[in-house]
Amino acid sequence: NITRAWALHELSNAYAQAELWEQAEELTRAIEDQTTRAEAMLDLSGAYAQTQHWDQAEAIIRAIEDDNTRFSALLNLGNAYAQAQLLEYAHMTWIKAETLIPTTEGSYIQVLALRRLGIAYAQAQFLDEAQIVWTRTETVISTIEDHYTRARALHRLSSAYAQVQFWEQAETIARAIEVDTILAEALH
């Protein structure tokens, strides 16, 4: 029952906010719907990370079966490490997250994951790593055949560059969107 699953998820989140960890974990494990359980585990690992319960966050993340959800959880954990100035742990965690990206389905989904990873690296001042990820993102975007999907992907990359104040790259990508859209309209 999906309604029961969501109720357990919400209650698990409330327990985590109150730092009643044992109850939060028990309810999370009790969720039968796999998707909802994965989302609850993502939330619980994030709550652990935000309160710097690193080992518990990592244990929950290891138990997440869905690669996309595990990617998000690892990205969030890396961000929490970076906020705590544990940059080496952040970097190692993001490297783990990156290994999950090729398993995502579809190029656009891959672009979204790479975009998030690039932002994380840039915000933590791992600028070389961010540029490597974004170069990879541009390569993935260039393989997207549908012009409108490619334009959306370019928009997402441009906004990522702008978010971390890489203005020149943001503008270059944004200008490429117009050219790509004009080509798409000419072909239709």
Side-chain angles (χ1 to χ4, degrees), residues 41-57:
M41 293 171 84
L42 172 65
D43 290 346
L44 182 56
S45 68
Y48 272 134
Q50 289 303 312
T51 56
Q52 299 185 2
H53 290 86
W54 310 119
D55 292 339
Q56 293 88 341

Side-chain angles (χ1 to χ4, degrees), residues 19 31 62 74 87 123 163:
E19 296 189 24
I31 297 170
R62 281 191 300 273
L74 285 168
L87 297 180
Q123 288 177 335
Q163 186 173 337

Side-chain angles (χ1 to χ4, degrees), residues 5-82:
W6 277 105
L8 292 173
H9 180 186
E10 289 176 13
L11 186 53
S12 171
N13 285 346
Y15 278 137
Q17 283 182 333
E19 296 189 24
L20 298 169
W21 303 114
E22 192 173 311
Q23 293 91 330
E25 285 193 39
E26 182 181 323
L27 283 183
T28 298
R29 283 191 300 271
I31 297 170
E32 293 175 9
D33 177 70
Q34 186 175 357
T35 301
T36 306
R37 185 174 54 250
E39 291 172 9
M41 293 171 84
L42 172 65
D43 290 346
L44 182 56
S45 68
Y48 272 134
Q50 289 303 312
T51 56
Q52 299 185 2
H53 290 86
W54 310 119
D55 292 339
Q56 293 88 341
E58 289 181 11
I60 295 294
I61 291 168
R62 281 191 300 273
I64 297 173
E65 295 176 16
D66 175 69
D67 284 347
N68 292 329
T69 306
R70 193 169 344 111
F71 167 81
S72 291
L74 285 168
L75 198 64
N76 294 343
L77 178 60
N79 291 343
Y81 279 137

Side-chain angles (χ1 to χ4, degrees), residues 7-188:
L8 292 173
H9 180 186
E10 289 176 13
L11 186 53
S12 171
N13 285 346
Y15 278 137
Q17 283 182 333
E19 296 189 24
L20 298 169
W21 303 114
E22 192 173 311
Q23 293 91 330
E25 285 193 39
E26 182 181 323
L27 283 183
T28 298
R29 283 191 300 271
I31 297 170
E32 293 175 9
D33 177 70
Q34 186 175 357
T35 301
T36 306
R37 185 174 54 250
E39 291 172 9
M41 293 171 84
L42 172 65
D43 290 346
L44 182 56
S45 68
Y48 272 134
Q50 289 303 312
T51 56
Q52 299 185 2
H53 290 86
W54 310 119
D55 292 339
Q56 293 88 341
E58 289 181 11
I60 295 294
I61 291 168
R62 281 191 300 273
I64 297 173
E65 295 176 16
D66 175 69
D67 284 347
N68 292 329
T69 306
R70 193 169 344 111
F71 167 81
S72 291
L74 285 168
L75 198 64
N76 294 343
L77 178 60
N79 291 343
Y81 279 137
Q83 288 172 354
Q85 298 299 309
L86 299 169
L87 297 180
E88 187 174 321
Y89 286 105
H91 189 227
M92 289 186 313
T93 303
W94 291 327
I95 288 170
K96 288 180 197 173
E98 189 170 3
T99 66
L100 298 173
I101 293 174
T103 64
T104 59
E105 293 180 20
S107 294
Y108 187 72
I109 299 299
Q110 191 174 14
V111 166
L112 296 179
L114 287 167
R115 174 189 181 274
R116 291 178 61 203
L117 182 62
I119 290 170
Y121 275 133
Q123 288 177 335
Q125 299 301 307
F126 286 100
L127 301 181
D128 290 340
E129 288 84 350
Q131 196 55 58
I132 289 167
V133 167
W134 282 330
T135 298
R136 183 173 161 202
T137 307
E138 289 182 40
T139 301
V140 172
I141 290 171
S142 73
T143 67
I144 297 173
E145 292 182 16
D146 179 74
H147 295 286
Y148 292 105
T149 303
R150 186 168 51 243
R152 282 192 358 239
L154 286 167
H155 171 254
R156 292 298 205 141
L157 180 58
S158 176
S159 72
Y161 278 132
Q163 186 173 337
V164 295
Q165 300 180 359
F166 284 39
W167 304 118
E168 186 176 321
Q169 294 91 328
E171 185 174 337
T172 300
I173 297 297
R175 290 182 185 278
I177 294 168
E178 182 180 335
V179 170
D180 199 59
T181 303
I182 290 169
L183 287 173
E185 289 171 358
L187 292 173
H188 287 300

